[in-house]
Amino acid sequence: MQHPHLDTRVSPLRQRLIDDMNMRRFSRETQRNYLRDIGRLATFLGRSPDTATADDLRRFQIEQQEGGVPVPTMNSIVSALRFFFTQTLDRPDLARRLVRLAHPRNLPVVLSRDEVARLLNATTCLKHQAALSVAYGAGLRVAEVSMLKVADVDSERMLLRVERGKGGRYRNAMLSEGLLTLLRQWWKVGRQQGVMHRDGWLFPGQHAMKPISTRQLYRIVVEAAQAADIAKRVGPHTLRHSFATHLLEDGTDIRIIQVLLGHAKLNNTALYAKVATRTVRTVTSPLDKLGLFKPAEAFPDV
């Protein structure tokens, strides 16, 4: 439920904010999060958020920190408020008052190639296998898999057109021969089932006119992981992490991986270098190149 200041008294302001987000092609989920986070400030102030002062913002962030709000949540709120003050209100001076906190990023959970194969084979139908294969084979986010249309599969250029990437950005994702073969099989079965249409969704939901939900895709991954006896905590994003890590281990340039993932910053892609164990194992230590030491026998049991 939105704060009353955003719902009624300042509804023109709320509409202006929504128009600004629509203009930048923000996803529905991002818009919902931004409205909720700006509503937090309105609740704190007890009045319209466009009346906030620099001191208000300082007190708001101090209260959040003292209240134990997690750092990632605080940073998400900062993103929403910076957009609001910079784009909707044209008050960049206030946006600069918002502090983004540093926090250590957890290393992503990555599946081995064998685990990915087991997971894909543990799906219960061709549609589910095809959807998860797109997540792994093209490195797509779960929302991007959900929003794919049949027309987004470009078999001539061997690309998947991703129209609703993060931040509303468009990009081309890779389409491998194996993935194309699987999608063609799914197209044939989907047509026979009467759920696939040339101008429709690649993965229709329970109602053919709506796409499969991200929640359902999450459930499909979790159930397949359980069926495949994979003990790791797995979600749809795990397949994207595994895609990037396996490419890096195969020697693909990290900047190419950055483009394939649709990352705006190389820093985000560089995180995968920390989990690419095969890459570490293929590097020869400069110590070994000195040739000072002969291969030793195995350590004796203690």
Side-chain angles (χ1 to χ4, degrees):
M1 183 175 173
Q2 298 300 336
H3 189 276
H5 286 299
L6 287 175
D7 281 337
T8 55
R9 191 163 65 87
V10 288
S11 56
L13 174 63
R14 182 174 184 271
Q15 187 57 53
R16 198 157 79 238
L17 171 61
I18 292 170
D19 291 342
D20 288 338
M21 292 191 289
N22 282 333
M23 198 160 39
R24 287 158 183 81
R25 296 184 176 273
F26 282 11
S27 69
R28 212 173 313 159
E29 185 180 2
T30 299
Q31 293 196 29
R32 189 166 57 242
N33 292 342
Y34 273 32
L35 287 167
R36 180 199 62 211
D37 291 341
I38 295 164
R40 291 182 197 233
L41 175 62
T43 301
F44 170 80
L45 295 173
R47 61 182 195 274
S48 174
D50 64 341
T51 64
T53 64
D55 189 56
D56 288 331
L57 296 181
R58 182 174 176 275
R59 288 188 300 108
F60 174 62
Q61 287 207 282
I62 290 172
E63 186 191 76
Q64 282 187 313
Q65 194 168 25
E66 291 178 347
V69 176
V71 170
T73 304
M74 287 186 66
N75 286 342
S76 295
I77 294 170
V78 166
S79 296
L81 293 178
R82 280 182 177 173
F83 180 87
F84 175 65
F85 286 117
T86 304
Q87 303 300 331
T88 304
L89 297 185
D90 194 20
R91 291 291 307 274
D93 56 308
L94 287 179
R96 286 194 293 271
R97 297 283 182 166
L98 294 158
V99 179
R100 187 179 291 277
L101 301 176
H103 68 100
R105 289 185 64 179
N106 294 329
L107 291 179
V109 173
V110 172
L111 300 178
S112 69
R113 290 159 209 260
D114 175 65
E115 287 172 327
V116 173
R118 279 162 41 206
L119 184 141
L120 295 178
N121 284 327
T123 50
T124 56
C125 66
L126 188 59
K127 172 183 167 183
H128 294 172
Q129 186 181 50
L132 300 193
S133 295
V134 167
Y136 173 68
L140 298 196
R141 301 175 178 94
V142 63
E144 294 169 346
V145 175
S146 166
M147 300 305 291
L148 281 175
K149 293 184 176 178
V150 173
D152 293 330
V153 181
D154 187 342
S155 57
E156 296 222 352
R157 296 164 64 210
M158 294 304 289
L159 296 171
L160 287 173
R161 284 189 292 270
V162 181
E163 293 193 5
R164 302 192 185 190
K166 196 170 183 180
R169 291 187 290 269
Y170 288 72
R171 80 174 194 279
N172 289 321
M174 64 186 294
L175 174 63
S176 67
E177 290 286 353
L179 185 55
L180 178 60
T181 299
L182 180 61
L183 291 178
R184 281 176 169 162
Q185 289 173 4
W186 162 233
W187 164 254
K188 197 183 241 180
V189 170
R191 292 284 280 178
Q192 289 170 354
Q193 294 174 352
V195 297
M196 294 282 279
H197 308 283
R198 289 196 178 278
D199 57 349
W201 303 105
L202 185 58
F203 302 112
Q206 292 178 332
H207 190 290
M209 299 305 289
K210 289 186 176 181
I212 191 169
S213 69
T214 55
R215 186 175 296 178
Q216 189 180 357
L217 283 169
Y218 189 92
R219 191 164 59 245
I220 290 165
V221 174
V222 170
E223 289 174 357
Q226 288 173 346
D229 289 325
I230 296 170
K232 295 172 182 173
R233 188 171 179 177
V234 176
H237 219 70
T238 310
L239 294 171
R240 177 173 158 89
H241 291 323
S242 302
F243 163 85
T245 305
H246 295 165
L247 282 181
L248 195 61
E249 289 180 340
D250 285 342
T252 306
D253 187 277
I254 197 164
R255 292 190 181 275
I256 294 174
I257 298 173
Q258 177 190 2
V259 172
L260 293 174
L261 291 173
H263 280 165
K265 297 178 182 176
L266 186 61
N267 284 354
N268 295 330
T269 318
L271 182 68
Y272 296 110
K274 296 182 180 180
V275 289
T277 56
R278 195 163 142 191
T279 304
V280 174
R281 290 198 304 270
T282 59
V283 176
T284 302
S285 167
L287 178 67
D288 287 355
K289 290 193 175 182
L290 297 178
L292 297 177
F293 310 106
K294 295 178 181 178
E297 294 179 8
F299 285 110
D301 293 332
V302 177

